[in-house]
Amino acid sequence: MSQPFQWLIQAFPPSPKWSPDDMPDLSGKVVLVTGGNSGIGFEMIKSLLRKNAKVYLAARSEQKGAAAIRALEQESGGKTAEFLQLDLSDLAAVRASAQEFAKRESHLDILFLNAGVMFPPPEQLTAQKYDATVGVNVVGHHLFLRLLYPLLLSRPSSGTSPGPARIVWVSSCANYLVPGCLDFATFTRTRTSGAHEKLKVDVDLFGMYCQSKLAQIQASALVARRAGEAGEDVVSIAVDPGHIRSDIFRGTTSFFFKLWDMLIAYPVSYGALTPLYAATSTEALAYNGKYLRAWARPGQPHPASYDREQQEQLWSWLEEQVKDYI
């Protein structure tokens, strides 16, 4: 089956057999959701609060985060989330956010690597001059995970938090559209000389998004494998939340994507289903290091996803990028 066809058929999944209402009680669990102020992240936090988890909403804008927390309190019966400022486009800010979280919590039960960008302005770069899409979706999240990983390992072995810590990577079926393997040369861009220092912008924005989603699946599989080899009680699962009607296409004027969003995409509440299943379901433990597609079904991602050599190449590249912030 061709990879583009794989991407297409994801638009028409069968009816879900699991819902967030099936989650167990999460009292005592500490959960962190990046990009929790809108879209899928917001929906996940709402369900997590209803199941009594202590949830941190990590987002760049304190104003938007505060507004989201007020809305969550109204929609979850008076339960509230905690705000954590996190700017994934600046590695120094990522480090500061992780340090702040470590001051507030001694452990972390569930980490949702959910925040993401698609179709940013083509000239936009992160503070460290990475392509904005890869910088936020991959590099920033990698550093955040590396800094929080000790808290995932320091969970109590008994009491209110049984079971392994879980990392859920909110990827996408866009991973199928990467031709071949990751192209690291496209992850950074340089400025041209001149009075106005104009930026080279001949970049395939959707292609960068697809690469970032494949990179997340590769990293998830590698984390799961290394944790298993080290005897660490950590589960890592990558998920495709489905074709969801959120604000992910806000940066594009493409008629195709606008039409797709209007006619094919599902309500955002559906997007929370698969990540929440991966994070809380006992059955999901069987998919450690694997890939779940909409709605909470096992799937087979891009062929490069489980290539160990490519996983190690990605990890080595990422480690080199964040070494000054560890």
Side-chain angles (χ1 to χ4, degrees):
M1 186 181 298
S2 71
Q3 297 304 312
F5 187 66
Q6 282 272 23
W7 173 75
L8 180 62
I9 64 174
Q10 296 307 305
F12 307 100
S15 298
K17 297 181 179 179
W18 188 91
S19 84
D21 291 336
D22 296 322
M23 287 193 296
D25 179 71
L26 299 175
S27 296
K29 298 280 189 182
V30 178
V31 184
L32 195 159
V33 181
T34 69
N37 61 293
S38 64
I40 293 172
F42 182 90
E43 290 297 318
M44 289 194 297
I45 294 176
K46 184 165 58 176
S47 293
L48 291 162
L49 289 174
R50 288 172 175 170
K51 291 293 184 175
N52 304 312
K54 181 177 184 180
V55 188
Y56 282 83
L57 185 162
R60 180 174 58 180
S61 169
E62 186 172 2
Q63 181 178 5
K64 291 181 180 179
I69 287 173
R70 289 194 297 271
L72 285 163
E73 190 170 7
Q74 293 179 347
E75 296 184 37
S76 61
K79 297 174 182 177
T80 187
E82 303 285 335
F83 178 73
L84 180 71
Q85 192 155 33
L86 172 65
D87 183 356
L88 288 162
S89 68
D90 183 349
L91 297 181
V94 172
R95 179 173 60 187
S97 181
Q99 290 171 341
E100 173 61 22
F101 183 80
K103 291 177 183 177
R104 294 160 69 175
E105 297 293 341
S106 61
H107 75 278
L108 177 61
D109 293 283
I110 304 170
L111 173 60
F112 288 95
L113 301 177
N114 165 74
V117 296
M118 183 182 188
F119 297 119
E123 70 277 5
Q124 185 174 327
L125 299 178
T126 69
Q128 287 73 33
K129 303 300 186 289
Y130 298 102
D131 168 84
T133 302
V134 170
V136 170
N137 297 2
V138 184
V139 183
H141 270 138
H142 177 78
L143 177 61
F144 199 50
L145 171 61
R146 288 281 279 105
L147 295 172
L148 292 181
Y149 199 78
L151 296 181
L152 291 163
L153 297 178
S154 64
R155 295 169 58 260
S157 57
S158 60
T160 59
S161 299
R166 302 199 202 190
I167 307 163
V168 178
W169 310 66
V170 180
S171 182
S172 165
C173 63
N175 76 87
Y176 293 121
L177 301 182
V178 176
C181 57
L182 299 179
D183 182 1
F184 296 99
T186 64
F187 291 179
T188 57
R189 298 202 296 278
T190 58
R191 294 182 181 276
T192 60
S193 59
H196 299 290
E197 205 179 30
K198 292 183 179 179
L199 191 67
K200 294 179 181 177
V201 294
D202 53 340
V203 59
D204 176 5
L205 293 175
F206 184 60
M208 297 307 300
Y209 179 78
C210 296
Q211 287 201 80
S212 76
K213 294 304 168 179
L214 172 58
Q216 289 175 324
I217 301 171
Q218 290 183 337
S220 174
L222 183 144
V223 168
R225 172 165 54 84
R226 287 193 174 182
E229 292 170 351
E232 297 167 346
D233 200 18
V234 175
V235 163
S236 177
I237 304 173
V239 305
D240 163 23
H243 292 300
I244 302 303
R245 192 176 302 120
S246 66
D247 58 357
I248 192 70
F249 293 135
R250 64 185 179 275
T252 183
T253 58
S254 166
F255 175 75
F256 171 79
F257 286 107
K258 297 293 187 182
L259 186 65
W260 183 276
D261 196 40
M262 186 168 48
L263 299 180
I264 304 296
Y266 289 79
V268 70
S269 58
Y270 279 74
L273 192 155
T274 308
L276 290 173
Y277 173 83
T280 66
S281 168
T282 301
E283 292 79 9
L285 296 175
Y287 302 110
N288 184 26
K290 302 300 182 182
Y291 174 76
L292 292 171
R293 56 182 175 164
W295 315 111
R297 298 175 299 139
Q300 187 64 31
H302 190 289
S305 300
Y306 300 140
D307 185 306
R308 290 195 177 192
E309 183 177 346
Q310 292 189 41
Q311 291 171 6
E312 295 290 348
Q313 184 180 8
L314 169 64
W315 197 264
S316 295
W317 185 85
L318 288 168
E319 287 290 274
E320 180 64 24
Q321 311 315 304
V322 305
K323 64 182 182 182
D324 294 336
Y325 301 91
I326 298 294

